[in-house]
Amino acid sequence: MIIFIYTVLVFLVLRFSVTLFNFLSNPKMGNYGRKFTDRVSLIIRVEKEKSEADELLASIAAQDYKHLQIIIQSGAVPFSAEEVTGDYLLFLEANTLLKKGFIHSLIYRVKVFNLALLSVIPTQKNTGLLANCVYPLTDFVLLNLFPLRLVRLINHPVFATASESCLFFDATAYRQFKWNERVKRNASRAVEICKMVKQEGLKADVLLGNRLIYLGERQLKPDFLPFSGRLMLNFNNNVLVAVLYLILVVAGPIVMAIELEPALLVLPFGLIFLSRVMTSFLSAQHPVPNILLHPLQMLALVLLLFSNIWNKVFSGVGDKK
C-alpha cells in the first residue's frame, strides 16, 4: 500500500509540474492589435442544418475583419481545397463564437512564427450543474498532462495536440498537403493533422482561446459519447493508459485520505487545489466552482472514460464522432 501511495504522490507532483509549466508559460491567444488585409477562407462545419451556424455567422459579421470567404460545409459533403481562394484557411465548428480582433490575431501569430497550422482551444461557456461537472474536464486533463508550449518549440510528432473547433492553416501549405482531406472525420482528426504537419517538417502551434473564441453556451446532452472520445485523446486512445490514469488520479487520493494522517494530506490535497486554480485561470473559468465541484467532476471523469472504454472494447465505436 505504501508503494501505491508513493506512486500516486509522484504522479501528482509530475502533473502539478506540467500544470505549473503551462501556467508560467501562459499559452494563450493574444489580441495583438495588428491589422491585416490577407484573404481568409472560413469553412464552417455543420452536422445537419446551416442554421446551426447562425450565432457564429452573427459573430463573424460583427468582426472588424472583412476580407473573408465564408463556406458552410455539411458533414455529409467532403471539403475540397479547390473551393477556396484565401491566403489562409480557418476551419470552425458551428458551436464556436468569435470576438473582435480574433482573425487579425490568428494571422499575426502565423506570420510571426511561420506556422503551417495554428489551433486554438475555445473558452467554455457552460450552463447548469451537470454541464459544469462534465465539460471542464477537457481543460483539466489536457493542462495536467500536456505542456502546450512544446507543440511549437519541439517539432516532433509526439508533441502534437490540437482542437477540432478551430484550425487555421497557411493556404499554400494546405493546398500542397491537403491535410484535412487525408484524415477521416473522427475524434482524433485534429491531433492526426497536427502530427502530419510536423512530419512534413513544418511548424504547428496550439493556444488557449483566452476569451477571443468561445464555445456557445452548453447544457449537458444525453449523448456524451463524442465528448468522452475527445477525453480519450489525452491518453492516445489507449485503454490501459486511461485506466492507470483513473487509478492514480481518482482512486489514489481516496486511498490517501483513508490511510494517511490528516497532517500528511496537506501536500497532496494542496497540489490538487493549486492545480485546479491554475487550470481554471488558464482556461478563463472561475476557480471556485471547479474546486467545489472537483469530487463530482472526478466521478464524471470515471463514468465518461469507462463508458468510452466499454464501447471501444465491446462495440468499437468509442472513438467515432
Side-chain angles (χ1 to χ4, degrees):
M1 182 60 69
I2 192 66
I3 295 176
F4 175 71
I5 291 176
Y6 274 123
T7 303
V8 172
L9 187 58
V10 169
F11 188 60
L12 180 58
V13 171
L14 291 175
R15 287 170 46 230
F16 177 80
S17 300
V18 173
T19 307
L20 182 61
F21 174 83
N22 281 323
F23 187 74
L24 295 177
S25 61
N26 197 33
K28 295 180 182 178
M29 188 70 185
N31 193 345
Y32 303 108
R34 300 290 297 273
K35 303 296 181 183
F36 300 92
T37 58
D38 303 76
R39 187 165 176 79
V40 175
S41 294
L42 202 159
I43 300 95
I44 302 171
R45 294 183 293 268
V46 298
E47 295 298 327
K48 296 178 181 178
E49 303 293 334
K50 290 185 178 181
S51 59
E52 297 171 25
D54 286 348
E55 289 189 58
L56 172 56
L57 291 171
S59 73
I60 293 169
Q63 287 280 310
D64 56 350
Y65 203 92
K66 305 303 178 184
H67 309 280
L68 296 173
Q69 174 196 21
I70 298 177
I71 299 172
I72 306 294
Q73 180 196 3
S74 170
V77 180
F79 169 78
S80 173
E82 307 303 322
E83 300 178 55
V84 300
T85 59
D87 302 301
Y88 298 96
L89 279 65
L90 174 57
F91 290 84
L92 294 173
E93 290 189 332
N95 64 337
T96 52
L97 300 172
L98 308 184
K99 295 299 182 181
K100 190 174 181 180
F102 179 68
I103 297 177
H104 285 293
S105 296
L106 286 174
I107 297 173
Y108 177 78
R109 183 84 185 180
V110 167
K111 286 180 178 289
V112 167
F113 292 102
N114 192 28
L115 303 174
L117 167 64
L118 172 59
S119 179
V120 183
I121 302 169
T123 303
Q124 298 184 25
K125 283 186 176 181
N126 302 318
T127 303
L129 175 63
L130 289 177
N132 279 288
C133 288
V134 171
Y135 292 128
L137 289 170
T138 53
D139 294 328
F140 169 76
V141 175
L142 175 66
L143 294 172
N144 267 235
L145 292 179
F146 199 99
L148 293 184
R149 285 292 187 193
L150 298 188
V151 175
R152 178 174 60 84
L153 296 176
I154 300 179
N155 202 29
H156 190 283
V158 72
F159 293 101
T161 190
S163 170
E164 182 77 9
S165 297
C166 177
L167 297 169
F168 188 64
F169 294 94
D170 175 86
T172 301
Y174 183 90
R175 290 190 184 99
Q176 180 180 355
F177 298 105
K178 299 181 180 179
W179 292 296
N180 242 341
E181 301 173 40
R182 291 162 52 189
V183 182
K184 293 181 179 179
R185 185 168 178 78
N186 56 38
S188 63
R189 183 173 71 162
V191 178
E192 293 303 316
I193 290 173
C194 186
K195 290 180 180 178
M196 293 166 67
V197 170
K198 287 173 169 276
Q199 286 166 354
E200 298 293 346
L202 301 174
K203 292 184 179 181
D205 197 6
V206 59
L207 297 172
L208 299 169
N210 195 27
R211 296 190 177 94
L212 288 173
I213 178 172
Y214 281 92
L215 288 175
E217 289 192 12
R218 299 186 295 173
Q219 296 181 343
L220 192 64
K221 298 180 180 179
D223 182 12
F224 50 76
L225 186 59
F227 179 78
S228 65
R230 293 190 179 190
L231 279 176
M232 282 294 293
L233 295 181
N234 295 286
F235 315 105
N236 201 28
N237 283 316
N238 188 302
V239 171
L240 178 60
V241 173
V243 171
L244 288 175
Y245 179 86
L246 290 176
I247 292 172
L248 294 173
V249 173
V250 180
I254 295 174
V255 171
M256 286 195 295
I258 295 172
E259 295 291 331
L260 298 181
E261 296 292 331
L264 298 177
L265 296 176
V266 174
L267 174 61
F269 284 18
L271 292 179
I272 294 172
F273 173 83
L274 291 175
S275 292
R276 292 317 307 255
V277 171
M278 289 189 288
T279 56
S280 296
F281 281 122
L282 282 168
S283 55
Q285 300 172 28
H286 201 288
V288 174
N290 281 334
I291 293 169
L292 295 178
L293 294 174
H294 180 77
L296 293 177
Q297 289 180 358
M298 294 302 99
L299 176 61
L301 181 63
V302 172
L303 296 175
L304 286 164
L305 290 183
F306 270 112
S307 69
N308 184 276
I309 291 168
W310 178 272
N311 282 281
K312 188 181 292 292
V313 172
F314 293 102
S315 62
V317 301
D319 60 347
K320 292 182 182 178
K321 185 172 179 179

